[in-house]
Amino acid sequence: MSSQTITADTAGTWKLGDLPVHRLGFGAMRLTGSAAFHLGTPSDRDRSIAVLRKAIDLGVNHIDTAAFYFSSLRSANELINSALAPYPDDLVIVTKVGPYRAWSGEWGTSARPEDLRAHVEENLRQLGRDHLDVVNLRRMPKYDSIAEHFGALAELREAGLIRHLGISNVEPRHLAEAQAIAPVVCVQNRYALDLPDPATDELLRICGEQEIAFVPFYAVAGEAGEGGATTAHDEEVRAVARAHGASPTQIRIAWTLHQGPHVLAIPGTGNPDHLVENVAAGAIRLTSEELDRLNAPRRKDG
């Protein structure tokens, strides 16, 4: 398939609360360097800024980021601010709070509820905003309940620092817990073709019924996780890719979008060519037979 003229709107749209976004968005984690969370080699700043501007040119209007996305020289939020401010009116920037990294790069103590205002204010400062469009509470393993943390964010929403709230790394019970406190516009969980997970399948279903956006992370990376895009593609993925004249990565993105109209894809990259390919994946339409073929190993493993 030709990727050169395909833009993000071909994937369709959804709303994060009252904010419409194209279902093919962009994850900022890979912008900062060779390693997602362990500093690694910093990215070329001009190239990262060019990738962000190219994303906007391709119609991307949903960017996922966090203050803890940084390498020794690069901050994802600073790159976004430098590349895109003043921001387009339709651009929705989604960030997340909860985990914490010291400037050395080491993970620090997970945030307590009273710490979250400082997390939000740091994102505001780095992005140069007076409010955040959407903030996801990333559940930290040491906390079984999210009620106190989500309640703290709900207070910041009432104060006007946050427009909408989401949750991440959760189970269905956490969604119900959050909804008892304030509206939830999105759920962000790890979800990929090669990672069957009945609990997350159930969460995906619940979100669809309630018209809540479901936003998978590591959908392209799969089992490789923070290590980057996987190269361990099943033969089914490769066969479908050949049929479409596409890459296996594009088929993984297309499969993600086919999981429901409420599903948003946020593939990330620091490579402008990969960006073009990722956005073009939003135009791939998989047949029911192709989806059955792709899902066969998943059903077996699940």
Side-chain angles (χ1 to χ4, degrees), residues 1 3 192-194 218-222 229-257 267 274 277-278 280-282 284 286 294:
M1 64 181 295
S3 303
L193 175 58
D194 57 354
Y218 294 157
V220 171
T230 184
T231 57
H233 303 292
D234 291 336
E235 176 52 32
E236 289 78 8
V237 175
R238 297 184 185 278
V240 174
R242 288 192 295 269
H244 285 267
S247 70
T249 292
Q250 287 178 310
I251 296 303
R252 291 174 70 94
I253 295 171
W255 177 87
T256 301
L257 292 170
H274 290 170
E277 292 178 4
N278 290 348
I284 296 174
L286 301 173
L294 293 169

Side-chain angles (χ1 to χ4, degrees), residues 69-94:
Y69 290 172
F70 63 86
S71 66
S72 58
L73 295 178
R74 306 283 175 257
S75 154
N77 283 352
E78 186 277 329
L79 289 166
I80 292 167
N81 189 346
S82 296
L84 304 179
Y87 298 107
D89 291 340
D90 67 338
L91 178 62
V92 176
I93 299 177
V94 179

Side-chain angles (χ1 to χ4, degrees), residues 187-206:
V187 172
Q188 188 179 92
N189 266 33
R190 185 169 186 171
Y191 194 72
L193 175 58
D194 57 354
L195 291 173
D197 180 353
T200 304
D201 285 337
E202 174 66 6
L203 192 54
L204 171 70
R205 182 191 65 77
I206 293 169

